[in-house]
Amino acid sequence: MAHSARRKDCPELPDFSLLKRLARDQLIYLLEQLPGKKDLFIEADLMSPLDRIANVSTLKQHEVHKLYKVEHKPVVSTSDQLCFLIRPRIQTVKWICDVANADKAAGKFRRYKIIFTPQKFYACEAVLEEQGIFGDVTTDEWAFNLLPLDDDIISLELPEFFRDNFLAGDQRWVRTAGSALHLLHSLYGPFSKIYGIGRCSKMAYESWREQVEEGEQRTHQAEIGKVFLIDRDVDFVTPLCSQVVYEGLVDDIFRIKCGCVEFGPEVTSSDKSMKVMLNSQDKVFNEIRNEHFSNVFGFLSQKARNLQTAYDKRRGMDIKQMKTFVSEELKGLKQEHRLLSLHIGASESIMKKKTKQDFQELLKTEHSLLEGFEIRECISFIEEHINRQVSMIESLRLLCLLSITENGLLPKDFRSLKAQYLQSYGVDHLLTFANLRQLGLLVEQQPGETLTVMESKVGKLVNDKTAGKLTDAFSSLAKKSNFRALSRKLNLVPKSDEEYDLRVPRDMAYIFSGAYVPLSCKLIEQVLDRDGWTGLEEVTRLLNGHEFAVSGSTGGDSKTKSDAQRIILVMFLGGCTFSEISALRFLGRERGYKFIVVTTAITNSSRLLEALLDNHA
């Protein structure tokens, strides 16, 4: 196997099942605050996370009679106690007010309880007050901040964090991120060192510090040593690249939702779909998840041969041996056989989809963009992609990748590509272009004005604390991409002189077929190597600053301390891709670290761009 462990002394990961138990116990406590039979209304995007914490039978044990999905229409429940488990969204709160007011008008008396998760916002309570039902409902907060998706992946399951924070400038989720960090610190800390880069990371760090100072200080054995916070807008190139590791491809094509994927009939070879949990408990998946897709078939066929050999052992057995085989081995073999056939089906399905869409041509274009070669050919490919209407999101992804890697498009290219895109996919995407420009994802180069001149103009405003409001107004100017300069400084695009052997990866670039080392992971590697940002001043200047490195407390004896020091928690604010997780796992194996990835949500190019679409107006 390509990824046999490089260093045998990797430390053990902390046990995160405690986070699930805490969340479940708190939810049960909140449900018991409304004694007697009740109907529970759950917001659609909370259903999958809730299923991982407390299943239906657990809810039934605590007198939940019926479960409904929040659907913003009149309720059919006959219960006289209604409990609503929702995200703090004004639209949903207004719907609850309508339900309560409709009951009042019909002379029906019920008790209502709203449980906001992960926190309640003043704006929601203001709506209850406006609608005149503040006194008729009880509100509570379920601090369900962290959902462990796997041994080393924890998600806040807040996909809206990205749009709210980076596009709308709404910082309400920053405290949620700070609270999540605080919970991890109180259970698995104290952290010895905290590094970070990005405006949002700095605010989340400050929010966490405030909560630490307010709370009681408990000293116990640290299980996590260092923490690295990073904003998604520090590195937009990585999530915009096509994923080619197995787990990333499965996410791109089948959409992994909350650690679970639904394979359709074309994968299961039956007439019905099947939901499958994808984590390290799935032995087959665990061995191929971080592999480049070109290695997956070879591994699966080898696995199938091994399985056949294990089955063949039963020939020539006597009764006693057969009995042992059936009781001890057969169940495991059957389970492995089922998983193997599923992953073979998924791989075949990926192959069909990816060869159909001229995938190799697409990857070649991406690699040229990353290297800065043959840009005119790339633009022709993108134009053809747009005019053939291959895929609205794919076309947008390629445009953004072109813009970021080229530090903005030439005015004539920008106008031409934008016009073609709007003609192909509809003028309602004008708003989307405005959103992309605001984030610096798709911008036009300013004629006659170099980037450094603009930076110096804006730099004064950005660095001035008193000009906080101006900072946002000028942020779109400040957010010029400096990808080429960063790429040279950090050697993000490896020299392509020799053939890159994907079976034996030599660096993190293998996750993109050896063409590009993810910027986010390279920064983490460099900062850990240098124990801070010293020597990276030029890099942080190109990334618009907001970097920090702070020493925390140290405690415990030296053996466990050195183990904890090699467990590094990386928190992505705005989402993280499976490719980045694979790259960090590779880095961990190389350096004897264990990385724990905490993210506001798992993202990929489609999710990232869908969050910025504004064609629903």
Side-chain angles (χ1 to χ4, degrees), residues 235-239 241 367 370 483 487 492-494 508-520:
D235 172 20
F236 276 136
V237 174
T238 305
C241 291
H367 295 172
L370 292 165
F483 180 74
S487 179
L492 298 180
V493 178
M508 291 186 284
Y510 91 91
I511 66 160
F512 293 122
S513 311
Y516 162 66
V517 179
L519 169 58
S520 50

Side-chain angles (χ1 to χ4, degrees), residues 86-360:
I86 62 165
R87 290 265 186 241
R89 294 181 185 132
I90 287 173
Q91 188 192 1
T92 317
V93 176
K94 280 185 173 164
W95 168 74
I96 295 170
C97 293
D98 292 343
V99 169
N101 285 326
D103 286 346
K104 265 189 199 170
K108 197 184 278 182
F109 173 77
R110 302 200 223 221
R111 288 176 72 190
Y112 311 97
K113 181 183 182 72
I114 304 175
I115 300 173
F116 292 105
T117 182
Q119 64 190 86
K120 61 179 168 188
F121 293 132
Y122 170 73
C124 295
E125 296 192 318
V127 170
L128 294 172
E129 211 167 333
E130 259 171 40
Q131 301 283 328
I133 67 152
F134 188 73
D136 304 330
V137 297
T138 50
T139 60
D140 249 312
E141 197 171 84
W142 180 32
F144 173 36
N145 289 329
L146 295 164
L147 173 67
L149 296 179
D150 207 341
D151 298 344
D152 59 351
I153 309 173
I154 305 172
S155 172
L156 277 78
E157 287 302 308
L158 281 177
E160 61 260 56
F161 186 104
F162 175 67
R163 185 184 169 105
D164 286 355
N165 189 77
F166 294 105
L167 182 67
D170 179 348
Q171 292 154 9
R172 61 190 172 152
W173 297 116
V174 169
R175 185 167 171 85
T176 310
S179 303
L181 209 50
H182 185 228
L183 178 59
L184 289 165
H185 178 258
S186 56
L187 295 175
Y188 306 104
F191 308 142
S192 62
K193 201 84 190 247
I194 298 101
Y195 315 101
I197 183 161
R199 192 154 162 248
C200 184
S201 292
K202 205 160 193 175
M203 290 192 290
Y205 164 73
E206 281 160 7
S207 164
W208 165 66
R209 283 290 340 149
E210 279 168 23
Q211 292 175 55
V212 168
E213 280 154 24
E214 285 165 16
E216 55 190 82
Q217 302 294 324
R218 286 201 310 274
T219 51
H220 54 82
Q221 195 58 64
E223 292 182 71
I224 295 172
K226 298 174 181 173
V227 175
F228 195 106
L229 305 175
I230 183 166
D231 283 16
R232 183 69 278 169
D233 67 353
V234 165
D235 172 20
F236 276 136
V237 174
T238 305
L240 288 172
C241 291
S242 292
Q243 303 197 73
V244 283
V245 288
Y246 181 69
E247 190 167 12
L249 271 169
V250 170
D251 187 37
D252 276 354
I253 289 173
F254 302 102
R255 293 251 171 158
I256 298 173
K257 189 178 171 191
C258 211
C260 192
V261 69
E262 189 164 341
F263 286 135
E266 76 280 5
V267 172
T268 58
S269 313
S270 64
D271 51 359
K272 55 181 184 291
S273 297
M274 184 188 287
K275 278 195 171 175
V276 183
M277 289 290 287
L278 293 181
N279 55 30
S280 49
Q281 306 301 300
D282 176 340
K283 295 287 178 277
V284 178
F285 175 69
N286 196 38
E287 290 190 61
I288 57 174
R289 68 193 307 179
N290 304 313
E291 285 294 318
H292 188 278
F293 191 64
S294 58
N295 303 335
V296 169
F297 268 118
F299 169 77
L300 291 174
S301 57
Q302 181 58 49
K303 195 87 178 157
R305 284 195 290 276
N306 296 351
L307 204 59
Q308 191 57 52
T309 313
Y311 269 130
D312 290 345
K313 265 197 338 196
R314 65 178 192 260
R315 293 195 183 134
M317 281 183 178
D318 59 29
I319 297 290
K320 194 177 176 194
Q321 289 169 321
M322 185 63 90
K323 188 180 175 187
T324 314
F325 174 77
V326 169
S327 63
E328 289 174 13
E329 290 180 53
L330 191 61
K331 193 179 175 192
L333 289 174
K334 281 192 165 171
Q335 168 75 345
E336 207 167 316
H337 182 247
R338 188 181 70 83
L339 292 169
L340 190 61
S341 62
L342 271 176
H343 290 297
I344 289 172
S347 301
E348 284 173 342
S349 186
I350 289 168
M351 282 290 283
K352 278 184 201 141
K353 285 194 172 71
K354 287 302 176 191
T355 45
K356 195 166 72 181
Q357 282 182 6
D358 258 355
F359 192 52
Q360 293 309 320

Side-chain angles (χ1 to χ4, degrees), residues 436-588:
L436 294 170
R437 181 174 172 278
Q438 192 182 325
L439 278 181
L441 279 168
L442 186 50
V443 293
E444 188 177 353
Q445 285 177 7
Q446 297 303 314
E449 197 166 22
T450 62
L451 184 61
T452 44
V453 177
M454 289 179 78
E455 267 181 348
S456 61
K457 272 187 188 177
V458 176
K460 293 188 190 79
L461 292 162
V462 173
N463 295 328
D464 185 356
K465 286 277 190 291
T466 56
K469 290 197 171 86
L470 284 171
T471 309
D472 292 332
F474 282 90
S475 62
S476 56
L477 292 178
K479 275 182 193 155
K480 280 290 187 187
S481 158
N482 297 314
F483 180 74
R484 286 276 167 266
L486 283 165
S487 179
R488 278 193 301 275
K489 279 258 174 294
L490 294 168
N491 193 21
L492 298 180
V493 178
K495 302 279 180 287
S496 52
D497 311 339
E498 53 199 274
E499 194 61 36
Y500 195 101
D501 185 359
L502 292 165
R503 285 193 302 279
V504 190
R506 57 172 183 260
D507 55 24
M508 291 186 284
Y510 91 91
I511 66 160
F512 293 122
S513 311
Y516 162 66
V517 179
L519 169 58
S520 50
C521 304
K522 188 73 175 180
L523 280 175
I524 293 164
E525 177 196 46
Q526 290 292 314
V527 170
L528 289 174
D529 283 355
R530 296 158 193 263
D531 192 24
W533 295 96
T534 319
L536 293 169
E537 291 81 6
E538 184 60 21
V539 170
T540 56
R541 191 187 66 76
L542 291 168
L543 290 168
N544 296 321
H546 296 295
E547 79 284 357
F548 58 94
V550 189
S551 290
S553 51
T554 49
D557 60 82
S558 57
K559 165 72 187 89
T560 47
K561 211 173 107 182
S562 68
D563 264 6
Q565 287 317 301
R566 289 183 302 150
I567 292 188
I568 292 136
L569 187 142
V570 180
M571 190 175 200
F572 285 88
L573 294 161
C576 157
T577 64
F578 280 119
S579 293
E580 286 167 307
I581 295 172
S582 292
L584 287 174
R585 284 177 182 143
F586 175 85
L587 181 63

Side-chain angles (χ1 to χ4, degrees), residues 346-403:
S347 301
E348 284 173 342
S349 186
I350 289 168
M351 282 290 283
K352 278 184 201 141
K353 285 194 172 71
K354 287 302 176 191
T355 45
K356 195 166 72 181
Q357 282 182 6
D358 258 355
F359 192 52
Q360 293 309 320
E361 195 66 31
L362 187 71
L363 286 181
K364 189 167 153 266
T365 303
E366 278 181 34
H367 295 172
S368 298
L369 289 173
L370 292 165
E371 289 165 17
F373 294 151
E374 303 175 336
I375 297 303
R376 295 313 322 166
E377 284 89 333
C378 293
I379 290 176
S380 303
F381 178 84
I382 296 170
E383 285 180 328
E384 189 188 338
H385 200 278
I386 292 169
N387 296 329
R388 279 170 49 208
Q389 297 181 334
V390 178
S391 152
M392 177 185 82
I393 290 283
E394 281 283 270
S395 298
L396 210 51
R397 178 174 76 79
L398 290 168
L399 284 174
C400 292
L401 207 49
L402 171 67
S403 169

Side-chain angles (χ1 to χ4, degrees), residues 60-110:
K60 297 269 187 202
Q61 281 165 21
H62 297 278
E63 300 190 283
V64 170
H65 182 50
K66 283 184 181 171
L67 291 169
Y68 296 95
K69 191 158 108 180
V70 168
E71 287 183 312
H72 299 277
K73 55 188 191 194
V75 300
V76 290
S77 166
T78 53
S79 172
D80 53 5
Q81 295 201 108
L82 304 183
C83 189
F84 301 91
L85 182 59
I86 62 165
R87 290 265 186 241
R89 294 181 185 132
I90 287 173
Q91 188 192 1
T92 317
V93 176
K94 280 185 173 164
W95 168 74
I96 295 170
C97 293
D98 292 343
V99 169
N101 285 326
D103 286 346
K104 265 189 199 170
K108 197 184 278 182
F109 173 77
R110 302 200 223 221

